[in-house]
Amino acid sequence: MNTDGPAADGGLHLIPFRGLRYVPDRVGSLAAVTSPPYDVVVRPDGLHHLESADPHNIVRLILPQADSAEARHRQAAETLSRWLSEGVLAADPEPALYVYEQRRGELLQRGVIGALALSTPSEGVVLPHEDVMPDIVADRAALMRSTAANLEPLLLTYRGEPGPVEAETVVERAAQTPPLIRTTTEDGFAHRLWAVTDPGEIARVQEELTQRQALIADGHHRWATYLRLHRDRPPAAGADDPWAYGLVLLIDTARYPLQVRAIHRVLQGLPTAGALAALGDSFRVRRLDGPLAAALDGLAEAAAEGNAFLLAGDGGFHLVDRPDTDLLDRTVPQGPPEAWRSLDATVLHSTLLEHLWQVPDDPGHIAYIHDTAAAVEQAERRGGTAVLMHPVREEVVRDLARAGVTMPRKSTSFGPKPATGLVLRSLLLD
C-alpha cells in the first residue's frame, strides 16, 4: 500500500451533508462554544474552563458529566435535542462539503469536511497507524448512538498530485469568498468555514479523491467507532445508510503539511522516585536542569541517538536513555518489523510499563496528555510520574501504515487539529 499514491478499491468517497452549526445570535461567541477534540481536553481543569466559557459549549455534548455512562450519553442526547429545539443549533438548508481553514502566524492549513464512506483497513482506502482501546470505542459508540450524530470530525491526510488539481482549485477558490463563519480561539488560531454546494464543484472534489487513500492522523477511536456502529446496523440498511459514512476533515499534506507531536503519559500511581528506582541499571539516567524547554532540548538530542524519555513529577527532570539491548531483546516482541520494535512508544509499553514498572495500560493508571507543561503539572499535583516523549517522524508513521503495521496507541499527535463545534453532522438528516 502507498499512502502517497492512488488508492485501492475506488479510493475515497466523500459526500456532502447538511451541517449542524451554532446560530451566532444564540451564543456568546463562536470561540466560546468550541473545544479541542474530546481526547485533548485536559481533565478536570480544561473541562471546567470550557464549560464555564459558555453554557452551550460543545464539551456538554462530547464530554457530558453524570454519575454513570448511561446517564452521560442520555444527557448528551437530551442536550442536543434541546439545543436544536431552542434554535441554538440549526441545520444548513442544503447539503454541502465544507472548506475549513486554520491560520496562526505563518501556519496555514486548509482542507475539506464531508461524510466519508467507511472502509476497513484491509480495503486499503483509510489506513490506521495506531491501536485503539476497546473501552473508549465502546463509550464513543454509545454516545454516538444516543445522539445519532457525528459531533466532531476526524483528521485524515492524503497526498495530492504536485501542481494544481481540481480539489485544491475548489478549496482555494472557496477561500477567496466571504466565509460562513470566522472566529479566533484562545489558542491563537483563526478559523474560517465555507460551504461548497454547487454540484459541479462537489463533483470535482469527489473525482480527485477517488484517486486517493488516506492516513488517519487523529481520530483512530472515532473511526473504529464509526466501523463498529456500521457493523451493528441491519444488512437491509444498505450502502445509502447514513451510518455507512463518518464525518472527517481531509487535508492534502502535499500542499499543507501537518505537524507531528508526541503524546505524553502521566502514571497516576507511580511516584517519580519509584519509577527511577525500578529502572536499576537497565537505562542511563541523568538529571537535567530546567526550565522545561531546556529539558526537552536534552530529550531531543538523546532521541536522535536512540530510545529516550524524560521523567518528571518530583520538581526535576530526569533523562532516561540508552536501554540495555539484552533487556530490549527479552521484552520487545520479535515478530513486527524493526521500525516498530525501535519506536519509543514500543519500548515504553513493552519494556518500561509492562516489565519494569508493571503499570497496567488502562485509563485508571495512565493519563494521555498532549501538552508537556500540563503533563508535568498533573504529575506533580497527583504525586505521579510524567513520561515525556519525543515526536515520531511522519515518514516513519507512513511507512508503517503502508506495511499494515499499527503503532502502540497514542503514539503520535498530528496537528493542528480541527476545532470541535464549528460543524456537526446529524445522522437523522442524511
Side-chain angles (χ1 to χ4, degrees), residues 100-110 172 175-176 182-185 187-192 194 256 416-417 422:
Y100 175 49
E101 176 189 278
Q102 294 163 275
R103 184 191 296 268
R104 185 173 66 184
E106 296 183 354
L107 176 60
L108 172 65
Q109 179 171 285
R110 289 181 182 142
E172 305 307 326
Q176 303 309 310
R182 67 170 74 226
T183 190
T184 299
T185 46
D187 58 4
F189 272 100
H191 307 262
R192 297 197 295 172
W194 297 263
Y256 298 107
K417 303 178 189 303
L422 295 180

Coordinates of all heavy atoms in Angstrom, one line a residue, residues 100-110 172 175-176 182-185 187-192 194 256 416-417 422:
Y100 N -12.5 24.2 5.2 CA -12.1 24.7 6.5 C -10.7 25.1 6.6 O -9.8 24.5 6.0 CB -12.3 23.5 7.5 CG -11.9 23.8 8.9 CD1 -12.3 24.9 9.6 CD2 -11.1 22.9 9.6 CE1 -11.9 25.2 10.9 CE2 -10.7 23.1 10.9 CZ -11.1 24.2 11.6 OH -10.7 24.4 12.9
E101 N -10.5 26.3 7.1 CA -9.1 26.9 7.2 C -8.8 27.2 8.7 O -9.6 27.7 9.4 CB -9.1 28.2 6.4 CG -7.8 29.0 6.5 CD -7.9 30.4 5.9 OE1 -7.8 30.4 4.7 OE2 -8.1 31.4 6.6
Q102 N -7.5 26.9 9.0 CA -6.9 27.3 10.3 C -5.7 28.1 10.0 O -4.8 27.7 9.2 CB -6.6 26.0 11.1 CG -7.8 25.2 11.6 CD -7.4 23.8 12.0 OE1 -7.3 22.9 11.2 NE2 -7.2 23.7 13.3
R103 N -5.5 29.2 10.7 CA -4.3 30.0 10.5 C -3.8 30.6 11.8 O -4.6 31.0 12.7 CB -4.6 31.2 9.6 CG -3.5 32.0 9.2 CD -3.9 33.3 8.5 NE -4.5 33.0 7.2 CZ -3.9 33.0 6.0 NH1 -2.6 33.2 6.0 NH2 -4.6 32.8 4.9
R104 N -2.5 30.5 12.0 CA -1.9 31.1 13.2 C -0.5 31.5 12.8 O 0.4 30.7 12.5 CB -1.8 30.2 14.4 CG -1.3 30.9 15.7 CD -1.4 30.0 16.9 NE -0.5 28.9 16.8 CZ -0.5 27.9 17.7 NH1 -1.3 28.0 18.8 NH2 0.3 26.9 17.6
G105 N -0.2 32.8 12.7 CA 1.1 33.3 12.2 C 1.3 32.8 10.8 O 0.4 33.0 9.9
E106 N 2.4 32.2 10.6 CA 2.7 31.7 9.2 C 2.2 30.3 8.9 O 2.2 29.8 7.8 CB 4.3 31.6 9.1 CG 4.9 33.0 9.1 CD 6.4 32.9 8.9 OE1 6.9 31.8 8.8 OE2 7.1 34.0 8.8
L107 N 1.5 29.7 9.9 CA 1.0 28.4 9.8 C -0.4 28.5 9.1 O -1.3 29.2 9.7 CB 0.9 27.6 11.1 CG 0.2 26.3 11.1 CD1 0.9 25.3 10.2 CD2 0.1 25.7 12.5
L108 N -0.6 27.8 8.0 CA -1.9 27.9 7.3 C -2.3 26.4 6.9 O -1.4 25.7 6.3 CB -1.8 28.7 6.0 CG -3.0 28.7 5.1 CD1 -4.3 29.3 5.8 CD2 -2.7 29.4 3.8
Q109 N -3.5 26.0 7.2 CA -4.0 24.7 6.9 C -5.4 24.8 6.3 O -6.2 25.5 6.9 CB -4.0 23.8 8.1 CG -4.5 22.4 7.8 CD -4.3 21.5 9.0 OE1 -3.2 21.0 9.3 NE2 -5.3 21.2 9.7
R110 N -5.6 24.2 5.2 CA -6.9 24.2 4.6 C -7.3 22.7 4.2 O -6.4 22.0 3.7 CB -7.0 25.1 3.3 CG -7.0 26.5 3.6 CD -7.1 27.4 2.4 NE -7.0 28.8 2.7 CZ -6.4 29.7 1.9 NH1 -5.8 29.3 0.8 NH2 -6.4 30.9 2.3
E172 N -9.2 26.4 -2.9 CA -8.6 27.8 -2.9 C -9.6 28.8 -3.4 O -9.6 29.9 -3.0 CB -7.3 27.8 -3.8 CG -6.3 26.8 -3.4 CD -5.9 26.9 -2.0 OE1 -5.9 28.0 -1.4 OE2 -5.6 25.8 -1.4
A175 N -11.9 29.8 -0.6 CA -11.2 30.6 0.4 C -11.1 32.1 0.0 O -10.7 32.9 0.8 CB -9.8 30.0 0.7
Q176 N -11.4 32.4 -1.3 CA -11.3 33.7 -1.7 C -12.7 34.4 -1.6 O -12.8 35.6 -2.0 CB -10.9 33.8 -3.2 CG -9.5 33.1 -3.5 CD -8.4 33.6 -2.6 OE1 -8.3 34.8 -2.4 NE2 -7.7 32.7 -2.0
R182 N -16.4 32.9 10.9 CA -15.0 33.1 11.3 C -14.9 33.4 12.8 O -15.8 34.0 13.4 CB -14.4 34.3 10.5 CG -15.0 35.6 10.8 CD -14.2 36.8 10.2 NE -14.5 36.9 8.8 CZ -13.5 37.0 7.9 NH1 -12.2 37.1 8.2 NH2 -13.8 37.2 6.6
T183 N -13.8 32.8 13.4 CA -13.6 33.1 14.8 C -12.2 32.8 15.1 O -11.5 32.2 14.3 CB -14.5 32.2 15.7 OG1 -14.5 32.6 17.0 CG2 -14.1 30.7 15.6
T184 N -11.7 33.3 16.2 CA -10.3 33.1 16.7 C -10.4 32.5 18.1 O -11.0 33.1 19.0 CB -9.5 34.4 16.7 OG1 -9.4 34.9 15.4 CG2 -8.1 34.1 17.2
T185 N -9.9 31.3 18.3 CA -10.0 30.7 19.6 C -8.8 31.1 20.5 O -7.8 31.7 20.0 CB -10.0 29.1 19.4 OG1 -9.0 28.8 18.4 CG2 -11.3 28.7 18.8
D187 N -6.4 29.7 21.7 CA -5.0 29.2 21.3 C -4.4 30.0 20.2 O -3.2 29.7 19.8 CB -5.0 27.7 21.0 CG -6.0 27.4 19.8 OD1 -6.5 28.4 19.2 OD2 -6.1 26.2 19.5
G188 N -5.0 31.1 19.8 CA -4.5 31.9 18.7 C -4.8 31.6 17.3 O -4.4 32.3 16.4
F189 N -5.5 30.4 17.1 CA -5.8 30.0 15.8 C -7.1 30.8 15.3 O -8.1 30.9 16.0 CB -6.1 28.5 15.7 CG -4.9 27.7 15.4 CD1 -4.2 27.0 16.5 CD2 -4.4 27.6 14.2 CE1 -3.1 26.3 16.3 CE2 -3.2 26.8 13.9 CZ -2.6 26.2 15.0
A190 N -7.0 31.3 14.0 CA -8.1 31.9 13.4 C -8.8 30.8 12.5 O -8.1 30.1 11.8 CB -7.7 33.1 12.5
H191 N -10.1 30.6 12.6 CA -10.8 29.6 11.9 C -11.8 30.2 10.9 O -12.5 31.2 11.3 CB -11.6 28.7 12.9 CG -10.7 28.1 14.0 ND1 -10.2 26.9 13.9 CD2 -10.3 28.7 15.1 CE1 -9.5 26.7 15.0 NE2 -9.6 27.7 15.8
R192 N -11.9 29.7 9.7 CA -12.9 30.1 8.7 C -13.5 28.9 8.1 O -12.8 27.9 7.9 CB -12.3 31.0 7.7 CG -11.7 32.3 8.2 CD -11.5 33.4 7.1 NE -10.5 33.0 6.1 CZ -10.3 33.6 5.0 NH1 -11.0 34.7 4.7 NH2 -9.3 33.2 4.2
W194 N -16.3 27.6 4.9 CA -17.2 27.9 3.7 C -18.0 26.7 3.4 O -17.5 25.5 3.6 CB -16.3 28.3 2.5 CG -15.5 29.5 2.7 CD1 -15.7 30.7 2.2 CD2 -14.1 29.6 3.2 NE1 -14.7 31.6 2.5 CE2 -13.7 30.9 3.1 CE3 -13.3 28.7 3.9 CZ2 -12.5 31.4 3.6 CZ3 -12.1 29.1 4.3 CH2 -11.7 30.4 4.2
Y256 N -0.4 21.2 2.3 CA -0.5 21.7 3.7 C 0.1 20.7 4.7 O -0.7 19.9 5.3 CB -1.9 22.1 4.1 CG -2.5 23.2 3.3 CD1 -3.5 22.9 2.3 CD2 -2.1 24.5 3.4 CE1 -4.0 23.9 1.5 CE2 -2.6 25.5 2.6 CZ -3.6 25.2 1.7 OH -4.1 26.2 0.9
P416 N -2.2 21.0 13.1 CA -3.3 21.4 14.0 C -4.5 20.6 13.9 O -4.9 20.3 12.7 CB -3.5 22.9 13.8 CG -3.1 23.1 12.3 CD -2.0 22.1 12.1
K417 N -5.2 20.4 15.0 CA -6.4 19.6 14.9 C -7.6 20.5 14.7 O -7.6 21.7 15.1 CB -6.6 18.9 16.3 CG -5.5 17.9 16.6 CD -5.7 17.3 18.0 CE -4.4 16.5 18.4 NZ -4.0 15.5 17.5
L422 N -17.6 23.6 15.2 CA -17.9 24.5 14.1 C -18.9 23.9 13.2 O -19.7 24.7 12.6 CB -16.6 24.8 13.3 CG -15.5 25.6 14.1 CD1 -14.3 25.9 13.3 CD2 -16.1 27.0 14.6

